[in-house]
């Protein structure tokens, strides 16, 4: 399966992306995680991306498109993209690249959630600095405070999860990324999932939509 996830920051896309990738045996490509790894490693790409990320701005299209396309070629058995595309030019670049590879996108799955809920979620989110798993101080705390259940890494609040930066990220989302819904709707690829609720419940809704899609292909 070839799938992109859409929805505002804080909709739970990262968590659901991991779960769906496990469920369907797909490669997960999360551009935000890739950038954070580059920033930590102080690579040339990381140095380019850092100031944009910390300000809650998008990294320029040419930088992110180059990084994504080289990653796509490593994923032969299907993939899920989390955090890409975020602009129409990115979606067009993806569409062209997939046409060249004769492996078109099968769905754009949108996670629907009101802004107030995402603001509250992100303020309480803690991220593992090693494996990028996320936790919620109130709803999904780790077994041991400040430590990742999965890998034992240290949990921290991302700089861009501070409330003011979150509001800015949401503005950027509405301006730059929401038009993607029409882009994919026009191509008959848009599917929607209600993202408010328990993690398991949301995964269940997503797999129902995707199983349905697979059975009709
Ligand atoms: P995320 O973890 O998906 O919320 O991404 C964190 C940050 O990485 C974003 O706020 C952007 O600064 C940057 N980023 C990730 N993916 C993209 C993308 N497709 N286009 C531009 N910037 C991105």
């Amino acid at each position: 399966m070839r799938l992109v996830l859409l929805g505002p920051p804080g909709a739970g896309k990262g968590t659901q992306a991991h779960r769906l990738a496990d469920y369907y045996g797909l490669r997960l490509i999360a551009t935000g995680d890739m950038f954070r790894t580059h920033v930590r490693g102080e690579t040339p790409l990381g140095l380019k991306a850092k100031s944009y990320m910390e300000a809650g701005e998008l990294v320029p299209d040419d930088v992110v498109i180059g990084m994504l396309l080289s990653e796509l070629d490593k994923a032969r058995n299907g993939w899920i993209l989390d955090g890409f595309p975020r602009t129409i030019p990115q979606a067009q670049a993806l569409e062209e690249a997939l046409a060249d590879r004769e492996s078109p996108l099968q769905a754009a799955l949108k996670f629907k959630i009101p802004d107030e809920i995402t603001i509250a979620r992100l303020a309480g989110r803690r991220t593992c600095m090693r494996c990028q798993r996320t936790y919620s101080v109130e709803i999904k705390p780790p077994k041991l405070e400040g430590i990742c259940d999965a890998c034992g890494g240290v949990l921290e609040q991302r700089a861009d999860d501070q409330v003011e930066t979150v509001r800015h990220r949401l503005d950027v989302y509405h301006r730059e990324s929401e038009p993607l819904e029409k882009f994919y709707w026009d191509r008959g690829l848009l599917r929607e999932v209600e993202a408010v609720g328990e993690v398991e419940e949301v995964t269940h809704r997503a797999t129902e939509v995707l199983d349905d899609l697979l059975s009709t292909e």
Side-chain angles (χ1 to χ4, degrees):
M1 188 178 347
R2 294 173 298 276
L3 175 70
V4 302
L5 304 185
L6 304 177
K13 293 191 303 298
T15 304
Q16 296 299 333
H18 276 282
R19 295 171 63 87
L20 294 173
D22 286 349
Y23 185 84
Y24 292 107
L26 303 171
R27 186 180 180 102
L28 170 59
I29 304 175
T31 45
D33 289 350
M34 291 169 73
F35 279 132
R36 280 184 286 281
T37 304
H38 279 285
V39 168
R40 273 199 308 281
E42 298 181 349
T43 68
L45 193 67
L47 295 177
K48 264 191 213 160
K50 189 169 192 259
S51 58
Y52 295 99
M53 293 176 73
E54 283 177 353
E57 299 285 348
L58 295 184
V59 176
D61 283 339
D62 56 333
V63 177
V64 64
I65 289 168
M67 178 178 81
L68 190 273
L69 294 186
S70 65
E71 198 61 26
L72 261 193
D73 284 327
K74 298 182 205 154
R76 300 245 174 265
N77 294 327
W79 36 258
I80 299 185
L81 304 187
D82 169 21
F84 188 100
R86 264 178 153 102
T87 64
I88 296 285
Q90 290 181 17
Q92 287 165 335
L94 178 65
E95 191 170 52
E96 280 164 30
L98 296 180
D100 288 347
R101 290 163 177 76
E102 294 181 8
S103 54
L105 192 67
Q106 286 160 293
L109 190 63
K110 152 102 199 266
F111 288 86
K112 277 170 53 181
I113 191 161
D115 281 2
E116 314 82 72
I117 299 190
T118 73
I119 292 171
R121 274 191 184 178
L122 291 179
R125 178 161 80 173
R126 297 295 176 269
T127 304
C128 174
M129 295 294 110
R130 195 188 291 161
C131 76
Q132 312 287 328
R133 296 249 164 194
T134 55
Y135 296 83
S136 156
V137 207
E138 294 196 352
I139 304 156
K140 194 184 75 165
K143 292 193 182 88
L144 219 63
E145 199 187 320
I147 304 291
C148 176
D149 292 347
C151 78
V154 175
L155 304 183
E156 286 181 13
Q157 183 176 41
R158 275 168 47 178
D160 59 347
D161 282 346
Q162 318 273 347
V163 172
E164 277 319 302
T165 315
V166 166
R167 284 189 205 283
H168 184 61
R169 286 165 67 201
L170 279 169
D171 289 344
V172 171
Y173 169 78
H174 290 304
R175 194 177 62 236
E176 304 284 345
S177 306
E178 228 159 38
L180 292 170
E181 288 168 33
K182 178 170 185 327
F183 180 94
Y184 286 118
W185 171 263
D186 288 346
R187 286 155 177 75
L189 294 172
L190 188 70
R191 301 286 182 279
E192 288 194 334
V193 171
E194 193 60 61
V196 181
E198 295 288 321
V199 170
E200 290 76 13
E201 207 173 284
V202 178
T203 309
H204 181 67
R205 288 180 204 140
T207 55
E208 270 184 345
V209 170
L210 297 174
D211 286 345
D212 193 41
L213 192 81
L214 288 176
S215 69
T216 55
E217 291 235 320

